[in-house]
């Protein structure tokens, strides 16, 4: 389940924010917020995508880097919401 | 809208949520605990390699210490910020050495101890103790066993009581000086801390909480970046200690460079928007206005650099903001901590509340809330730092325009994301360069609006664009960053070399002069004019003052202006104001008495006694003797010296009559001459003024016109007509520009010229006003048979760098000119002024003035006709 979430999130990030980048460079521990991949608008777009794609509802404080800074953290958050 | 990109240097490095160093708490303590804090302890160290690494660490630590020593020298040589700042930094750097050598588990406690000690160093035990106690009270409320909403309510109520203390409505046993720092420590951090208490998984420890709120070196920086608690906790020793220290040193040096550059911009590039004459001057003004932000970014770099020395690897506060390619980009780069604070506490919560209306509507709503909040919170911050709550229209326009630009960018990015690179820098392109130039230009324009005295002033300023001039356009920004790329050590050595001017002054006097001007925290010509004449005392909108003037006035707050005392009274004529007769007060901590004629002088008879040579002395606050006792005004000291046996010219006695009144403009001295000076039958009349006499003179003339006071000097009256500013005195609604007034008048609407337009017009003719005034003075005095003298005298400070036309005009008008502008040159200013924040001469300074005047009187005894008096005196005997 978590692996599937990771794959979907990675595809979304590559497509929306990193077009043309080598997919291998984006790992599940690559920092997204602190690394400048996600700014505030990017974060909101990711949140809207997660809510729509996985049918979960996120809270405002879950936009923090603690929850969304890596693909692994995003997957863990979605997984915890779904379960 | 914003990004949380901390620093490009860590762009693709895995972020550790837990500090590495924590793993070393139980490790064996090594002579340099930095090794323990930085090394992965899972790898067993061989003794030899451990010793080698230890030596490397020791060398790196020693290099940091050497650089910090040089930093202290630079702070001292350039007198950066305040004396407290130097003391606190010395404490901080000494503390760093001990801190770095301690085992990790004791370091945070030492940091708390140093932070609290810095409060005591800055405020003394009593006031420092109060500050700490009030802070502990606020922290205690955050931890009350009550629901969060109730705790917030209690904090608001407590804050209200604090606000009443801040405004001195409620009496308190502490100095009012503690409020800016207490406010700075708690006004935003409380919100961030409560947020963390609610959402963070890790509970704060008492030590960390104290470290967060009393954070060293907040005590000498009221304007402090809004540090996020979670980041403060998370980044504590989360990298190798040496790396953190070295980054900190680099940022401290960057901050110092920016603060020195700020001094240069403040002293040499800024100007008065009402006195711009050409497009070139306008361009320089716009550029200088935005460059003044170097002070804030310099301070913030310095602050975060210092925190790095104690292991807090906080992110960058400002990142190449002059190179923003859009306003959205600018919002991400400038004052990043504020942006992150607003995103976390305002933007995201607003967006989530509004997103049921659709993402775009939520984006618009959240952005509006953020920029409205930013505007109001800037005023809230101002309240704690200054005690007022300014809500100027230009602030609203600035934040509104900035918000609109950012929103446009955000909506575009919501629709189509801008492409990013993984860890790579953005490639250069012509389009990017043009966007960057365009954004910077627009930013300069917007920033000038934000910094303007009023929207009207800002609009009038653009009139200068009609006259083209190519000069000053070559001043371009960007150099701070190139300098920052050099090694910290080279920069520090370069700054120190520059600071010893004797080494190169004979070869490059111009460079030495510029360096001298940035080596002291003093006021530039415009602000000095405001302070010197006490003119700022009459400004009702102090919120528009520059940061430097803010510092000065904040420190000076407890001294009331003379106009707020019972020794001062207004008049409904051209003179405008005078000293009240027979007043006896304490002014600026000194006894202050006036005689029955309203002079700060001993009692005088109207009729001049036989054989007495009378000198009437007129001028502003330094003539009146602001900040010295009655016995120590230079008028009194000069009289004593002239009458000392053997010092005179054979006259029986001298009288030096002090007609000085604080904030008197040159035109008021002329009015005073006719009002009462001549009645005392003086033999010589000394008019005194400094190099910045234009602004108060213009202000006084405009005030007279606006209040319909008759100007009793026909040539000054004619000047008001010629310049058109007589229209200020008409009845009607204020309307900008002749064309605007004419259009409305044709519709039957009565109009008048607004003050700001009249101010701008008359300032352009200020030299003529001064020339005519000096001519009038000379004529009136000579008609009376006395000798007119112009005494050029400034408060304690360097001589003016530009020629002062009044000196030439006074001589041309037939006045004897005593130039004392060089009186303070090469002397210790602190020994001659009444306070660090106030350049009025103290008793020693007044004595120096009296001695110089005495010498000049002796030297010019023939022109002053002292020989004739000697003959009269002998005959009287």
């Amino acid at each position: 389940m978590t692996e599937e979430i990771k794959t979907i999130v990675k595809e979304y990030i590559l497509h929306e924010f990193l077009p043309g980048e080598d997919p291998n460079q984006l790992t599940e521990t690559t920092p997204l917020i602190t690394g400048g991949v996600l700014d505030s608008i990017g974060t909101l777009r990711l949140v809207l995508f997660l809510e729509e794609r996985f049918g979960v509802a996120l809270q405002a404080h879950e936009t923090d880097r603690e929850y969304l800074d890596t693909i692994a953290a995003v997957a863990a958050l979605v997984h915890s919401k779904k379960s | 809208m914003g990004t949380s990109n901390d620093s490009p240097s860590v762009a693709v490095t895995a972020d550790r949520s837990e500090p590495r160093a924590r793993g070393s708490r139980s490790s064996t303590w090594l002579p340099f605990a930095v090794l323990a804090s930085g090394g992965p302890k899972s790898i067993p160290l061989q003794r030899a390699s451990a010793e080698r690494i230890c030596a490397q660490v020791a060398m790196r630590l020693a290099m940091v210490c050497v650089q910090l020593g040089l930093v202290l020298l630079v702070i001292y040589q350039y007198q950066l910020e305040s004396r407290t700042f130097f003391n606190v930094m010395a404490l901080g750097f000494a503390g760093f050495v001990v801190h770095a050598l301690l085992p990790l588990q004791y370091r945070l406690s030492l940091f708390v101890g140093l932070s609290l000690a810095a409060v005591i160093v800055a405020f003394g035990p009593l006031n420092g103790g109060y500050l700490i106690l009030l802070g502990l009270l606020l922290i205690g409320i955050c931890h009350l066993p009550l629901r969060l909403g109730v705790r917030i309510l209690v904090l608001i109520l407590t804050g209200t009581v604090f606000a009443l203390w801040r405004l001195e409505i409620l009496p308190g046993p502490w100095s009012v000086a503690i409020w800016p720092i207490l406010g700075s420590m708690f006004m935003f951090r409380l919100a961030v801390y409560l947020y963390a208490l609610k959402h963070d998984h890790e509970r704060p420890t008492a030590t960390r909480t104290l470290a967060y709120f009393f954070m060293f070196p907040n005590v000498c920086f009221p304007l402090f970046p809004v540090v996020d608690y979670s980041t403060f906790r998370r980044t504590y020793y989360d990298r190798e200690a040496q790396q953190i220290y070295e980054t900190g040193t680099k940022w401290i040096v960057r901050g110092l460079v920016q603060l020195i550059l700020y001094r240069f911009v403040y002293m040499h590039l800024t100007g008065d928007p009402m006195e711009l004459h050409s497009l070139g001057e306008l361009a320089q003004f716009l550029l200088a206005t935005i460059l003044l932000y170097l002070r804030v970014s310099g301070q913030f770099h310095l602050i975060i650099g210092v925190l790095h020395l104690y292991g807090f690897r906080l992110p960058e506060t400002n990142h190449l903001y002059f190179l923003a390619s859009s306003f959205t980009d600018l919002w991400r780069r400038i004052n990043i901590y504020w942006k992150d604070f607003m995103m976390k506490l305002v933007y995201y919560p607003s967006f989530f509340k509004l997103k049921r209306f659709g993402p775009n509507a939520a984006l618009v709503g959240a952005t509006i809330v953020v920029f409205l909040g930013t505007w109001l919170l800037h005023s809230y911050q101002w309240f704690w730092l200054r005690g007022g709550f300014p809500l100027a229209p230009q602030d609203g326009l600035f934040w509104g325009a900035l918000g609109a630009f950012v929103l446009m960018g955000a909506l575009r990015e919501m629709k189509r994301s801008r492409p990013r690179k993984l860890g790579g820098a953005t490639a250069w392109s012509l389009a990017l360069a043009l966007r960057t130039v365009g954004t910077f230009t627009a930013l300069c324009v917007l920033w000038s609006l934000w910094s303007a005295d009023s929207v009207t002033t800002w609009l009038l300023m653009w009139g200068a664009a009609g006259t083209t001039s190519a000069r000053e356009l070559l001043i371009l920004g960007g150099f701070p960053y190139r300098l920052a790329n050099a090694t910290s050590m080279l920069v520090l050595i370069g700054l120190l070399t520059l600071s010893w001017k004797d080494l190169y002054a004979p070869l490059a006097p111009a460079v030495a002069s510029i360096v001298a001007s940035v080596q002291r925290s003093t006021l530039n010509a415009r602000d000095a004019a405001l302070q010197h004449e006490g003119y700022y005392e009459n400004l009702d909108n102090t919120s528009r003052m520059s940061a430097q003037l803010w510092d000065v006035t904040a420190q000076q707050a407890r001294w009331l202006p003379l106009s707020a005392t019972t020794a001062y009274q207004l008049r409904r004529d051209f003179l405008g104001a005078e000293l009240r007769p027979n007043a006896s007060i304490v002014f600026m901590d000194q006894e202050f008495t006036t005689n029955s004629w309203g002079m700060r002088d001993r009692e005088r008879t109207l009729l001049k006694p036989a054989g007495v040579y009378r000198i009437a002395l007129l001028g502003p606050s330094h003539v009146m003797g602001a900040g010295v006792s009655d016995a120590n005004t230079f008028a009194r000291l000069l009289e004593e010296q002239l009458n000392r046996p053997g010092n005179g010219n054979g006259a029986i006695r001298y009288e030096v009559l002090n007609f000085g009144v604080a904030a008197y403009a040159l035109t008021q001295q002329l009015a005073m001459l006719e009002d009462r000076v001549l009645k005392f039958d003086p033999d010589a009349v000394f008019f005194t003024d400094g190099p910045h006499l234009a602004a108060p003179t213009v202000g006084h003339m405009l005030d007279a016109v606006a209040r319909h006071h008759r100007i009793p000097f026909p040539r000054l009256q004619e000047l008001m007509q010629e310049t058109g500013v007589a229209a200020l005195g008409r009845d009607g609604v204020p309307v900008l520009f002749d064309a605007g007034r004419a259009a409305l008048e044709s519709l039957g609407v009565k109009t008048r010229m607004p003050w700001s337009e009249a101010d701008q017009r008359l300032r352009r003719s200020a030299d003529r006003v001064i020339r005519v005034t000096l001519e009038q003075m000379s004529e009136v005095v000579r008609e009376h048979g006395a000798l007119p003298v112009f005494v050029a005298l400034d408060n304690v400070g360097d001589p003016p760098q530009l020629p002062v036309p009044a000196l030439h005009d006074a001589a041309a008008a037939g006045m004897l000119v005593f130039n004392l502008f060089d009186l303070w040159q090469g002397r210790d200013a602190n020994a001659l002024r009444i306070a660090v924040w106030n350049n009025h001469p103290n008793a020693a300074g007044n004595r120096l003035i009296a001695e110089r005047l005495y010498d000049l009187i002796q030297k010019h005894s023939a022109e002053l006709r002292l020989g004739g008096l000697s003959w009269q005196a002998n005959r009287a005997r």
Side-chain angles (χ1 to χ4, degrees):
Chain A
M1 178 66 180
T2 310
E3 289 306 314
E4 186 190 341
I5 297 170
K6 285 179 187 171
T7 307
I8 293 169
V9 171
K10 180 174 177 175
E11 278 176 13
Y12 174 77
I13 290 170
L14 280 170
H15 180 259
E16 289 296 319
F17 305 113
L18 298 167
E21 288 289 298
D22 178 4
N24 295 324
Q25 292 287 313
L26 180 65
T27 69
E28 63 179 63
T29 57
T30 302
L32 300 174
I33 295 175
T34 52
V37 176
L38 292 181
D39 58 18
S40 59
I41 301 297
T43 304
L44 290 177
R45 290 185 59 168
L46 176 63
V47 165
L48 292 172
F49 168 75
L50 295 175
E51 289 190 334
E52 188 183 332
R53 178 68 177 75
F54 298 106
V56 293
L58 269 60
Q59 304 292 313
H61 73 273
E62 286 165 341
T63 51
D64 194 79
R65 68 190 69 176
E66 190 179 345
Y67 299 96
L68 300 181
D69 201 31
T70 61
I71 291 174
V74 174
L77 174 68
V78 173
H79 184 70
S80 69
K81 292 275 176 186
K82 286 188 78 72
S83 56
Chain B
M1 192 161 78
T3 177
S4 296
N5 181 8
D6 292 342
S7 163
S9 62
V10 294
V12 288
T13 314
D15 193 32
R16 297 165 180 83
S17 58
E18 286 302 312
R20 267 185 179 192
R22 286 188 191 150
S24 65
R25 279 181 183 169
S26 58
S27 63
T28 308
W29 181 75
L30 289 169
F32 294 98
V34 282
L35 174 63
S37 68
K41 74 176 189 133
S42 59
I43 302 170
L45 294 171
Q46 297 296 320
R47 186 167 184 81
S49 63
E51 283 174 359
R52 195 178 64 246
I53 293 171
C54 199
Q56 284 173 356
V57 167
M59 180 58 75
R60 288 173 72 185
L61 184 61
M63 284 302 290
V64 170
C65 291
V66 169
Q67 289 185 59
L68 293 180
L70 291 174
V71 163
L72 263 188
L73 271 176
V74 169
I75 292 171
Y76 181 81
Q77 283 293 100
Y78 286 84
Q79 295 184 23
L80 287 174
E81 300 302 306
S82 59
R83 179 58 63 90
T84 305
F85 173 65
F86 178 81
N87 293 340
V88 168
M89 291 306 272
L91 175 73
F93 291 164
F96 161 73
V97 179
V98 180
H99 181 269
L101 296 174
L102 272 183
L104 183 66
Q105 63 264 39
Y106 301 120
R107 290 188 200 162
L108 196 58
S109 303
L110 178 69
F111 177 74
V112 171
L114 273 173
S115 300
L116 297 177
V119 173
I120 302 298
V121 166
F123 290 99
L126 188 67
N127 286 310
Y130 280 129
L131 190 153
I132 293 167
L133 274 178
L134 292 170
L136 290 176
L137 173 69
L138 292 170
I139 296 170
I141 294 170
C142 292
H143 288 276
L144 285 175
L146 301 167
R147 281 176 45 216
L148 181 66
V150 180
R151 278 179 281 160
I152 292 173
L153 188 66
V154 176
L155 278 172
I156 290 171
L157 291 173
T158 311
T160 308
V161 176
F162 281 21
L164 295 175
W165 273 323
R166 172 75 184 92
L167 294 169
E168 298 183 85
I169 293 171
L170 286 181
W174 40 69
S175 160
V176 72
I178 68 169
W179 291 108
I181 298 300
L182 188 72
S184 169
M185 287 171 168
F186 287 86
M187 63 183 157
F188 297 123
R189 268 178 241 165
L190 275 175
V192 180
Y193 187 69
L194 284 173
Y195 185 95
L197 280 182
K198 185 179 178 193
H199 295 297
D200 274 16
H201 299 307
E202 192 175 316
R203 301 294 295 173
T205 62
T207 317
R208 193 175 300 280
T209 299
L210 290 174
Y212 177 65
F213 281 107
F214 294 104
M215 201 184 300
F216 180 90
N218 201 160
V219 72
C220 41
F221 291 105
L223 207 58
F224 203 83
V226 186
V227 178
D228 179 64
Y229 177 79
S230 304
T231 312
F232 183 76
R233 171 182 59 75
R234 191 171 47 226
T235 58
Y236 185 61
Y237 281 113
D238 67 342
R239 295 284 190 281
E240 186 203 11
Q242 286 307 307
Q243 186 191 333
I244 298 175
Y245 301 154
E246 284 162 2
T247 303
T249 313
K250 191 174 80 180
W251 287 6
I252 289 171
V253 174
R254 187 187 295 181
L256 290 184
V257 170
Q258 293 194 3
L259 286 177
I260 292 169
L261 281 170
Y262 161 81
R263 285 256 183 96
F264 174 78
V265 172
Y266 175 77
M267 293 302 297
H268 298 283
L269 301 185
T270 54
D272 192 325
M274 301 300 275
E275 292 177 4
L276 302 175
H277 295 92
S278 67
L279 184 63
E281 287 182 12
L282 178 65
Q284 177 181 320
F285 176 80
L286 292 174
L287 188 62
T289 307
I290 182 71
L291 286 176
L292 289 177
Y293 184 75
L294 281 172
R295 184 172 199 235
V296 177
S297 68
Q299 283 186 347
F300 282 14
H301 282 310
L302 198 74
I303 290 164
I304 300 304
V306 170
L307 286 168
H308 271 69
L309 299 180
Y310 291 90
F312 301 102
R313 197 190 58 82
L314 293 164
E316 208 174 11
T317 55
N318 289 277
H319 178 65
L320 300 175
Y321 45 89
F322 292 150
L323 300 182
S325 58
S326 69
F327 277 92
T328 318
D329 191 27
L330 174 75
W331 178 247
R332 291 178 187 125
R333 290 168 179 261
I334 195 164
N335 201 350
I336 296 165
Y337 283 35
W338 179 260
K339 182 265 298 174
D340 285 347
F341 168 74
M342 291 303 287
M343 301 303 295
K344 188 171 189 171
L345 271 81
V346 180
Y347 184 75
Y348 287 132
S350 303
F351 182 89
F352 275 76
K353 285 234 179 326
L354 295 169
K355 74 179 177 187
R356 64 177 185 276
F357 300 110
N360 283 347
L363 195 72
V364 172
T367 307
I368 290 172
V369 172
V370 162
F371 279 91
L372 191 64
T374 297
W375 178 23
L376 294 175
L377 287 174
H378 270 71
S379 292
Y380 163 77
Q381 174 174 266
W382 197 274
F383 171 80
W384 288 108
L385 302 191
R386 284 293 302 274
F389 200 90
L391 283 175
Q394 61 270 35
D395 292 349
L397 281 173
F398 172 77
W399 290 113
L402 193 59
F405 283 130
V406 170
L407 181 59
M408 281 191 282
L411 284 170
R412 195 170 53 242
E413 286 188 22
M414 197 68 170
K415 199 171 173 183
R416 197 185 60 186
S417 175
R418 71 185 164 87
R420 280 88 160 170
K421 295 277 178 192
L422 266 175
T426 310
W428 187 90
S429 73
L430 180 63
L432 178 65
L434 289 175
R435 279 203 310 273
T436 303
V437 171
T439 303
F440 183 71
T441 308
L443 177 65
C444 286
V445 173
L446 262 184
W447 207 274
S448 70
L449 170 64
W450 195 28
S451 310
D453 290 337
S454 67
V455 177
T456 313
T457 307
W458 186 75
L459 285 172
L460 285 166
M461 177 186 86
W462 293 95
T467 311
T468 54
S469 165
R471 71 186 188 91
E472 296 115 356
L473 281 170
L474 294 174
I475 304 160
L476 292 172
F479 44 88
Y481 300 103
R482 278 178 228 136
L483 277 179
N485 285 338
T487 64
S488 302
M489 190 73 96
L490 281 176
V491 171
L492 287 166
I493 291 170
L495 288 172
L496 283 172
T497 309
L498 274 176
S499 74
W500 282 301
K501 300 180 292 299
D502 293 346
L503 294 175
Y504 59 89
L507 296 172
V511 176
S513 171
I514 288 172
V515 171
S517 70
V518 300
Q519 271 187 294
R520 279 176 296 283
S521 179
T522 185
L523 300 177
N524 67 13
R526 183 190 183 207
D527 290 346
L530 296 176
Q531 195 206 33
H532 170 77
E533 300 295 346
Y535 183 62
Y536 78 96
E537 295 166 356
N538 300 319
L539 289 176
D540 57 357
N541 192 3
T542 51
S543 65
R544 312 311 312 159
M545 289 183 189
S546 69
Q548 199 94 6
L549 193 53
W550 171 359
D551 281 356
V552 173
T553 52
Q555 292 177 82
Q556 204 173 356
R558 67 186 183 84
W559 281 348
L560 288 174
L562 186 75
S563 56
T565 69
T566 54
Y568 189 84
Q569 61 188 16
L570 294 174
R571 285 181 37 154
R572 293 171 185 273
D573 61 8
F574 187 62
L575 190 62
E578 63 186 356
L579 295 182
R580 189 185 296 278
N582 301 315
S584 179
I585 62 166
V586 173
F587 175 60
M588 295 167 91
D589 295 336
Q590 301 291 334
E591 56 155 344
F592 185 101
T593 55
T594 60
N595 64 18
S596 60
W597 303 101
M599 299 153 61
R600 195 184 185 195
D601 206 339
R602 60 179 100 229
E603 198 53 53
R604 305 286 185 181
T605 58
L606 198 57
L607 189 66
K608 183 167 63 176
V612 164
Y613 187 93
R614 267 188 171 170
I615 297 171
L617 192 56
L618 291 85
S621 49
H622 54 344
V623 174
M624 183 190 74
V628 293
S629 66
D630 295 340
N632 282 312
T633 63
F634 72 83
R636 180 76 67 92
L637 296 170
L638 175 64
E639 184 178 278
E640 286 171 6
Q641 191 163 1
L642 285 166
N643 289 319
R644 208 163 286 154
N647 277 1
N649 286 275
I652 294 173
R653 199 155 48 89
Y654 287 87
E655 286 185 356
V656 181
L657 277 56
N658 188 352
F659 291 95
V661 179
Y664 254 23
L666 198 67
T667 37
Q668 283 173 294
Q669 295 186 44
L670 175 61
M672 175 63 97
L673 177 71
E674 296 239 318
D675 184 79
R676 74 188 73 161
V677 174
L678 295 176
K679 294 175 189 164
F680 285 85
D681 192 20
D683 298 284
V685 181
F686 286 20
F687 301 97
T688 312
D689 224 324
H692 315 296
L693 65 178
T697 303
V698 166
H700 172 242
M701 290 304 299
L702 293 180
D703 195 52
V705 173
R707 291 174 190 271
H708 307 288
H709 293 157
R710 191 181 70 81
I711 299 171
F713 304 99
R715 284 160 65 197
L716 285 176
Q717 252 181 12
E718 282 165 23
L719 256 179
M720 298 305 105
Q721 294 295 338
E722 268 178 49
T723 52
V725 300
L728 172 69
R730 293 203 306 241
D731 291 326
V733 290
V735 178
L736 272 177
F737 309 121
D738 289 334
R741 286 187 289 278
L744 283 179
E745 294 276 354
S746 68
L747 297 172
V749 180
K750 284 188 171 180
T751 65
R752 69 171 173 83
M753 184 183 282
W755 177 286
S756 47
E757 188 181 349
D759 186 32
Q760 188 193 39
R761 284 194 184 203
L762 200 58
R763 279 192 201 204
R764 288 179 175 171
S765 300
D767 286 348
R768 286 176 66 201
V769 176
I770 289 164
R771 192 162 57 242
V772 167
T773 306
L774 290 167
E775 287 167 0
Q776 191 83 53
M777 286 170 159
S778 184
E779 282 171 24
V780 174
V781 173
R782 285 190 180 279
E783 277 170 18
H784 181 76
L787 186 81
V789 180
F790 183 74
V791 181
L793 174 66
D794 198 6
N795 279 334
V796 180
D798 290 332
Q801 294 182 354
L802 297 173
V804 180
L807 292 177
H808 172 263
D809 293 340
M815 300 172 96
L816 187 61
V817 177
F818 288 171
N819 186 351
L820 276 70
F821 280 156
D822 62 348
L823 183 65
W824 316 112
Q825 197 168 20
R827 298 178 192 273
D828 179 8
N830 288 329
L832 296 168
R833 60 188 174 190
I834 57 173
V836 175
W837 64 88
N838 193 308
N839 291 329
H840 283 100
N842 60 14
N846 273 271
R847 185 163 298 283
L848 208 58
I849 298 169
E851 285 168 3
R852 175 69 79 85
L853 280 176
Y854 174 80
D855 291 343
L856 286 165
I857 288 169
Q858 297 300 316
K859 188 177 168 188
H860 295 275
S861 60
E863 293 104 309
L864 289 164
R865 297 193 289 266
L866 294 176
L869 189 75
S870 170
W871 174 79
Q872 285 175 27
N874 287 334
R875 203 173 63 160
R877 278 194 201 108

